[in-house]
Amino acid sequence: MTATPIEPPTKCTVLPGPDDDLLTFPNGGDRYERVYGSLVVSPPSTPDHQRVISRLLVILDDAAPPGLEPLPGVGVRADEECLHIPDLVVVPEKACGSGPLAAGDVLLAVEVAGPHTRLFDGTNKVLSYAAAGIPVYWRVEPDEGPMLYVYELDDDSYKGPVAYEAGTTVSLSAPYPVSFDPAVLVAPRGSKP
């Protein structure tokens, strides 16, 4: 898939002002992202969605070398007109602050697809994250077993994705070495897949 800039929509409601305005929206559980002036609103996550994020956060945190930190649900400024909120990111600890992260600081962005985000995560975010230079993007599809799709940046676009099924051990080297079976991402706490 070649990364081409996402064209601004021609018919949409345009948000005036900087992305920081999104930070003042009411926090009722909805996720607000800005994509070329359009407001993208996602409903609150389901418990199954949060389970995947929680399991992956623990896996990434346990494997993280000193100086790198996995974080859930933080703002990432992909460019001047896009503010995304990936489900998880891995960044250098020194990049952590009080505002949105710069895309250049993100080593890994992770999205857990849900019924309301599946198409956006599999198309727009692939292009936007590649254009922003995020080296690795993981997309988890819980309803597919689960399935882990890994995209790695090659020049200005992602190669792949490489798909990993539940029941196999995934050994990845980026953003740092980590191994796990995608099945653990949906397994109830304390159970073995």
Side-chain angles (χ1 to χ4, degrees), residues 5 11-12 44 53 60 65 68 88 95 100 104-105 116 140 147 158 161 191:
K11 295 181 180 178
C12 63
I53 295 168
L60 288 169
L68 295 182
L88 283 171
D105 290 326
H116 302 288
V140 179
M147 186 80 79
Y158 287 125
S191 70

Side-chain angles (χ1 to χ4, degrees), residues 15-153:
L15 288 174
D19 290 334
D20 295 340
D21 290 349
L22 295 179
L23 303 176
T24 65
F25 278 30
N27 189 359
D30 289 334
R31 181 169 287 190
Y32 302 100
E33 297 179 81
R34 181 184 177 124
V35 180
Y36 294 106
S38 294
L39 177 64
V40 177
V41 182
S42 301
S45 299
T46 64
D48 288 342
H49 187 266
Q50 286 302 111
R51 175 183 281 154
V52 173
I53 295 168
S54 296
R55 301 290 184 276
L56 198 50
L57 180 62
V58 169
I59 290 166
L60 288 169
D61 195 55
D62 287 348
L68 295 182
E69 185 165 5
L71 299 170
V74 296
V76 174
R77 193 175 309 281
D79 63 28
E80 290 299 315
E81 298 192 45
C82 292
L83 178 72
H84 294 297
I85 305 175
D87 287 314
L88 283 171
V89 295
V90 171
V91 296
E93 289 175 347
K94 65 183 179 188
C96 297
S98 60
L101 296 165
D105 290 326
V106 178
L107 304 174
L108 167 68
V110 179
E111 297 289 356
V112 178
H116 302 288
T117 64
R118 180 166 281 109
L119 181 61
F120 196 65
D121 293 347
T123 56
N124 293 45
K125 290 216 177 159
V126 172
L127 296 172
S128 186
Y129 291 164
I134 296 174
V136 184
Y137 171 48
W138 294 357
R139 182 171 49 90
V140 179
E141 292 280 351
D143 295 339
E144 295 180 12
M147 186 80 79
L148 172 67
Y149 294 90
V150 176
Y151 302 79
E152 293 188 4
L153 201 58

